[in-house]
């Protein structure tokens, strides 16, 4: 189990007699969490009874309560009103619904920001972020912390012994809107962080390269967050500010957690991450060890042609961060969201498909934002489990139907996701550093590169794991992977270069993507030619970058599909004599130069390793062909027949006695999967409209089938 692993799970309430005289499930019974954010404070109490009836009809067994209720719980600086929350939690308990109780600190009340405007965040132009929305607080404000922690303590003391309390939900989506704060509080905390990192100004000046542009600092006080500057701010200052900002919020998370742990040590703690989506400010691979249960929020981006692949990527990465142990899907949507430029209802079957895709990747709870769709406020057009239209609606029927289905899948709970044989490295430092300004191109995007490789694996019918580089640095990341891909791993500390080199020299196949191995941990270039950190291993050397304009492509020739192209960036690669050239640039800045290389390595441990380099951004078909080639070379075979590659994803969870195979049709047409004897004896666990015959599985459009197979390794 990885050191990143969260070690506990929801503490389900003990069995008790419910309001209608029936018995609730005992605490130890297997179940998958199902529910939503529940905001009873938005509704008259008469509505609550209806909420309970419909929650029970839908199979809801857990809800998150109190997330944005600070202003009602503490209406003035010295008055408290917990009555309504007591009643809501009691009612939930009487209906057998567990409570993931928020600390309620997500958004400060107006009296607090009126009394203490110094808690408000400041943007890089020095402008105040005013109240009126939410999350208007500085992560480093000691004043905010004082008030927020007082509330956390009040909540912990009041509900410590409530039998419905199953998990603490710290704040909400920490950093969603306020991760980057450039205020004076942030400046002071940034200086402290830098002192702890560098110890001396001499060391800081070295790391930041301040000999450049007359930036040498002579007192700590001169150092500022990277506020609006006349031109490109110092890159290492920007990178350190990104690292600091993630750490500052993590520190805040820990401050709330410590209070909760003191008062209720037996209650697990979570906070909802936003792995991928539109956020990148929080290094969740670093945060995961601080919570008991890893939770994630995920929203499909409708304008993204690869929205399904992005969902699958996010779910997989969340599972890896959780050490492949179960994690909690805290929020996704039943249908449309309200915050994208254009929002769309989910197509039939999509709620089920998206939910089961998360489940396939290890989620043991499937929850939504929110239970009852609001009539007022900024999210009134956001879908919910119970829509404006009421219970007589397609959404509610889908929600209730899916709740029954999840209850039937209870045995899947607790199983772990199967490790894939392909690992794709993912690293927040490289994400932040590679996208800084003043680079060879502004057009390369870290997430797009990582996603492209993941999509290429799926296009070959293969599952890949998204492996945090942090777990490689911690020494337990690469065992079991036969092919490891490093997309745009721009920032490579020596220890990471060593770990990846060892991996390739002891029989693994390492593939290094474009714009990788360029800089060290301080964002200083690895000198001697690109890609510096991997130059020796790969047996390649480049002296220049050839950036390509938006829409411009270069032709590639070699062992690739006809018409293959590269885009965005090229390198002028030369190779050592023992390096095989798989493809060359045909035109563009470096015609005739190697574009894809591969080198067999003399092995120190018997099996021959391999190190390959891709010196441009390949078009999707070329990338899929290359991944197919490398996978075959590493002996990795798809468990799916070729005709459904790129249409059906197969993800596997491993229980004690059974494997659970999730066949996910992410296309809009029905498909038939030919099953093979090698797949073992499959039994239907949840077909949801699919047909399982002796040697075929037919999935409707967006259909998912969950099949069981006895573990052969027992
Ligand atoms: C986030 C928040 C919720 C809500 C949803 C809407 O995930 O945590 O409070 O705003 O977005 O998509």
């Amino acid at each position: 189990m990885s050191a990143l692993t969260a070690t506990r799970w929801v503490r389900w309430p003990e069995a008790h007699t419910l309001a209608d005289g029936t018995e609730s499930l005992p605490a130890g019974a297997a179940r998958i969490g199902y529910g939503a954010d529940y905001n009873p404070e938005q509704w008259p109490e008469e509505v609550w009874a209806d909420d309970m009836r419909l929650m029970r009809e839908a199979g809801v067994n857990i809800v998150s309560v109190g997330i944005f209720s600070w202003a009602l719980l503490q209406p003035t600086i010295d008055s408290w009103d917990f009555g309504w929350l007591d009643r809501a939690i009691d009612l939930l308990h009487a209906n057998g619904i567990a409570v993931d109780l928020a600390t309620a600190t997500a958004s400060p009340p107006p009296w607090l920001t009126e009394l203490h405007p110094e808690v408000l965040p400041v943007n890089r132009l020095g402008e105040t972020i005013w109240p009126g929305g939410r999350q208007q607080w500085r992560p480093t404000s000691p004043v905010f912390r004082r008030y927020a922690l007082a509330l956390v303590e009040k909540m912990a003391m009041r509900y410590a012994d409530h039998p419905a309390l199953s998990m603490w939900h710290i704040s909400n989506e920490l950093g969603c809107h306020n991760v980057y704060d450039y205020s004076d509080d942030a400046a002071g905390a940034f200086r402290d962080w830098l002192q702890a990192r560098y110890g001396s100004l001499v060391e800081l000046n070295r790391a930041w390269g301040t000999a450049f542009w007359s930036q040498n600092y002579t007192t700590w006080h001169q150092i500022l967050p990277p506020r609006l500057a006349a031109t490109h701010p110092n890159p290492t200052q920007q990178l350190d500010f990104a690292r600091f900002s993630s750490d500052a919020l993590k520190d805040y998370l820990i401050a709330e957690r410590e209070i909760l742990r003191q008062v209720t040590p037996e209650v697990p703690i979570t906070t909802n991450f936003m792995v991928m989506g539109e956020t990148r400010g929080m290094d969740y691979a670093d945060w995961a060890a601080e919570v008991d249960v890893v939770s994630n929020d995920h929203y499909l981006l409708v304008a993204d042609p690869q929205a399904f692949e992005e969902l699958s990527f996010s779910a997989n990465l969340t599972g890896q961060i959780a050490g492949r142990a179960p994690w909690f899907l805290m929020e996704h949507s039943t249908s449309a969201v309200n915050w994208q430029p254009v929002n769309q209802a989910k197509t039939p079957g999509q709620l089920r498909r998206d939910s089961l895709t998360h489940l396939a990747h290890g989620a043991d709870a499937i929850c939504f934002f929110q239970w009852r769709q609001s009539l007022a406020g900024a999210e009134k057009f956001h879908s919910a489990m119970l829509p404006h239209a009421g219970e007589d609606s397609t959404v509610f029927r889908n929600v209730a139907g899916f709740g029954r289905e999840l209850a039937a899948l209870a045995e899947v709970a607790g199983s772990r996701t199967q490790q894939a044989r392909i690992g794709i490295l993912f690293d927040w430092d490289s994400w932040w550093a590679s996208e800084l300004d003043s680079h060879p191109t502004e057009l390369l995007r870290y997430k797009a590169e990582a996603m492209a490789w993941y999509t290429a694996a799926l296009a070959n019918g293969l599952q890949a794991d998204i492996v945090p580089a942090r777990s490689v640095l911690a020494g337990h990341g690469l065992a079991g992977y036969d092919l490891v891909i490093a997309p745009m791993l721009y920032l490579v500390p020596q220890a990471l270069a060593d770990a990846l080199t060892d991996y390739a020299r002891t029989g693994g196949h390492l593939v290094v993507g474009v714009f990788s191995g360029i800089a060290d941990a301080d964002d200083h270039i690895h000198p001697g030619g690109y890609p510096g950190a991997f130059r020796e291993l790969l047996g390649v050397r480049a002296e220049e970058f050839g950036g390509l304009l938006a829409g411009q492509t270069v032709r590639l020739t070699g062992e690739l599909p006809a018409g293959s192209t590269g885009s965005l960036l090229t390198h002028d690669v030369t190779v050592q004599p023992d390096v095989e050239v798989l493809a060359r640039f045909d035109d563009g800045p470096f015609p005739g130069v190697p574009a894809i290389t591969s080198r067999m390595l003399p092995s120190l441990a018997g099996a021959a390793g391999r190190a390959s380099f891709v010196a441009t951004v390949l078009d999707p078909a070329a990338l899929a062909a290359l991944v197919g080639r490398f996978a075959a070379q590493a002996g990795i075979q798809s468990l799916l027949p070729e005709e459904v590659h790129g249409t059906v994803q197969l993800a596997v969870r491993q229980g004690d006695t059974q494997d659970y195979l999730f066949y996910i049709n992410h296309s809009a047409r029905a498909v038939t999967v030919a099953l093979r004897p090698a797949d073992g004896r499959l039994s239907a666990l949840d077909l949801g409209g699919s047909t399982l015959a002796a040697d075929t599985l037919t999935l409707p459009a967006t259909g998912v089938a969950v099949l069981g197979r006895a573990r052969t390794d027992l």
Side-chain angles (χ1 to χ4, degrees):
M1 201 179 260
S2 132
L4 303 174
T5 303
T7 48
R8 298 163 71 191
W9 189 244
V10 176
R11 189 186 65 153
W12 293 105
E14 296 300 329
H16 58 286
T17 308
L18 304 182
D20 63 1
T22 60
E23 280 293 295
S24 70
L25 267 189
R31 81 199 84 183
I32 293 166
Y34 191 50
D37 285 14
Y38 178 41
N39 300 305
E41 67 273 30
Q42 292 181 16
W43 300 91
E45 291 197 24
E46 307 84 81
V47 175
W48 299 3
D50 211 37
D51 287 334
M52 297 306 113
R53 176 179 67 82
L54 293 170
M55 280 187 194
R56 293 190 62 174
E57 190 177 325
V60 166
N61 54 22
I62 188 163
V63 290
S64 302
V65 183
I67 292 175
F68 291 104
S69 59
W70 188 349
L72 294 182
L73 293 173
Q74 190 181 8
T76 63
I77 189 167
D78 50 9
S79 66
W80 299 88
D81 178 10
F82 287 103
W84 66 270
L85 186 56
D86 294 351
R87 291 191 294 283
I89 294 178
D90 288 348
L91 191 63
L92 287 162
H93 189 58
N95 284 278
I97 297 162
V99 172
D100 166 46
L101 186 56
T103 55
T105 54
S107 220
W111 62 258
L112 198 161
T113 47
E114 182 190 28
L115 191 64
H116 292 292
E118 72 274 23
V119 307
L120 295 171
V122 173
N123 69 13
R124 57 194 288 272
L125 280 70
E127 297 162 340
T128 298
I129 306 300
W130 294 100
R134 64 176 180 184
Q135 223 175 45
Q136 62 277 6
W137 52 277
R138 302 176 182 178
T140 56
S141 162
V143 175
F144 177 80
R145 199 177 271 214
R146 196 169 73 235
Y147 283 95
L149 296 188
L151 173 60
V152 174
E153 193 172 353
K154 270 264 198 251
M155 294 288 286
M157 301 293 282
R158 186 165 190 100
Y159 297 105
D161 297 323
H162 201 291
L165 175 61
S166 297
M167 187 157 71
W168 284 113
H169 180 113
I170 290 181
S171 192
N172 190 64
E173 291 192 341
L174 284 163
C176 182
H177 313 292
N178 64 349
V179 58
Y180 297 123
D181 163 45
Y182 298 79
S183 66
D184 289 344
D185 280 336
F190 186 38
R191 287 176 203 124
D192 292 346
W193 185 92
L194 291 166
Q195 286 205 22
R197 182 177 176 89
Y198 295 113
S200 71
L201 280 173
V202 173
E203 187 52 20
L204 177 134
N205 280 310
R206 182 206 60 73
W208 285 20
T210 56
F212 182 79
W213 279 357
S214 181
Q215 291 175 351
N216 188 57
Y217 293 100
T218 52
T219 70
W220 290 98
H221 200 257
Q222 294 158 358
I223 300 171
L224 294 168
R227 293 175 177 159
L228 181 67
T231 183
H232 309 293
N234 180 303
T236 315
Q237 178 189 14
Q238 294 190 66
L239 173 61
D240 274 347
F241 187 67
R243 290 167 166 155
F244 153 78
S245 297
S246 178
D247 280 359
L249 276 167
K250 184 179 74 169
D251 191 65
Y252 176 80
L253 164 71
I254 292 170
E256 282 206 19
R257 185 196 66 193
E258 287 310 291
I259 292 175
L260 298 170
R261 286 224 169 126
Q262 254 171 29
V263 183
T264 55
E266 69 293 348
V267 180
I269 291 165
T270 195
T271 190
N272 41 347
F273 295 168
M274 298 163 281
V275 176
M276 305 303 285
E278 293 189 314
T279 50
R280 59 167 204 172
M282 284 65 67
D283 180 347
Y284 292 126
D286 178 40
W287 285 32
E290 308 299 345
V291 293
D292 298 316
V293 174
V294 168
S295 295
N296 195 38
D297 294 352
H298 185 269
Y299 290 94
L300 275 196
L301 303 171
V302 290
D304 181 352
Q306 290 183 329
F308 173 80
E309 286 84 354
E310 200 270 346
L311 182 160
S312 172
F313 185 110
S314 165
N316 184 283
L317 177 53
T318 307
Q320 302 307 319
I321 285 171
R324 289 200 290 277
W327 53 276
F328 198 111
L329 180 67
M330 189 62 80
E331 295 178 22
H332 69 152
S333 70
T334 58
S335 190
V337 299
N338 64 293
W339 45 263
Q340 296 173 27
V342 175
N343 297 289
Q344 282 173 5
K346 288 198 170 176
T347 56
Q350 219 185 316
L351 180 157
R352 180 177 179 276
R353 182 204 68 180
D354 294 352
S355 299
L356 288 177
T357 304
H358 288 292
L359 192 77
H361 288 288
D364 267 5
I366 304 292
C367 293
F368 298 94
F369 178 83
Q370 61 178 328
W371 162 249
R372 188 184 275 273
Q373 188 168 12
S374 302
L375 299 184
E379 293 183 325
K380 57 182 175 295
F381 292 112
H382 195 294
S383 59
M385 293 178 93
L386 185 60
H388 288 156
E391 63 187 286
D392 181 13
S393 61
T394 304
V395 166
F396 187 72
R397 278 186 286 277
N398 284 342
V399 158
F402 188 65
R404 284 189 289 279
E405 201 175 326
L406 270 188
L409 282 172
E411 67 175 87
V412 176
S415 59
R416 298 169 64 81
T417 49
Q418 184 178 49
Q419 181 176 357
R421 294 178 63 192
I422 302 176
I424 297 176
L425 293 175
F426 195 83
D427 182 43
W428 269 262
D429 259 5
S430 271
W431 194 354
W432 297 331
S434 64
E435 293 188 359
L436 289 174
D437 48 25
S438 57
H439 275 190
T441 172
E442 285 182 358
L443 302 177
L444 268 176
R445 284 285 164 269
Y446 182 79
K447 178 178 154 183
E449 282 310 293
M451 272 286 304
W453 286 93
Y454 186 72
T455 305
L458 291 182
N460 283 281
L462 298 170
Q463 180 62 52
D465 286 344
I466 311 301
V467 181
R470 267 183 192 277
S471 60
V472 179
L473 284 169
H476 44 66
L478 298 180
Y481 292 111
D482 298 306
L483 179 62
V484 168
I485 298 165
M488 209 159 139
L489 195 65
Y490 164 86
L491 188 145
V492 185
Q494 196 53 47
L496 185 57
D498 291 347
L500 294 174
T501 301
D502 278 1
Y503 166 77
R505 291 205 185 280
T506 52
H509 182 174
L510 177 70
V511 180
V512 174
V514 71
F515 208 44
S516 293
I518 305 296
D520 67 13
D522 295 323
D523 196 15
H524 295 193
I525 298 297
H526 287 293
Y530 315 116
F534 302 118
R535 199 178 55 235
E536 298 270 304
L537 178 73
L538 296 164
V540 304
R541 181 168 179 270
E543 298 172 26
E544 301 269 13
F545 298 106
L548 300 174
L549 300 174
Q552 200 182 347
T553 55
V554 288
R555 286 196 310 268
L556 298 167
T557 53
E559 299 177 37
L560 290 174
S564 291
T565 59
S567 63
L568 301 182
L569 195 65
T570 59
H571 294 280
D572 61 342
V573 175
T574 52
V575 297
Q576 297 290 322
D578 62 336
V579 172
E580 199 185 340
V581 175
L582 302 182
R584 291 180 184 273
F585 296 114
D586 200 27
D587 56 3
F590 307 120
V593 159
I596 304 176
T597 68
S598 193
R599 183 192 216 184
M600 183 97 94
L601 300 164
S603 175
L604 306 177
R610 189 172 271 281
S612 302
F613 181 51
V614 181
T616 187
V617 175
L618 295 177
D619 73 79
L623 193 61
L626 191 68
V627 168
R629 174 201 173 102
F630 287 155
Q633 218 164 31
I636 305 168
Q637 277 160 6
S638 172
L639 301 172
L640 292 165
E642 200 172 334
E643 57 277 13
V644 300
H645 289 180
T647 306
V648 174
Q649 180 180 7
L650 172 60
V652 180
R653 291 182 65 162
Q654 298 177 315
D656 291 337
T657 58
Q658 285 241 88
D659 282 340
Y660 301 104
L661 290 81
F662 291 74
Y663 288 84
I664 306 162
N665 174 9
H666 48 93
S667 78
R669 58 185 173 80
V671 287
T672 295
V673 182
L675 303 171
R676 297 160 314 176
D679 296 327
R681 263 200 30 198
L682 300 172
S683 57
L685 209 69
D686 177 15
L687 291 178
S690 312
T691 318
L692 178 64
D695 51 8
T696 56
L697 172 68
T698 302
L699 298 152
T702 64
V704 181
V706 188
L707 306 184
R709 178 177 62 195
R711 296 288 306 271
T712 43
D713 54 343
L714 291 177

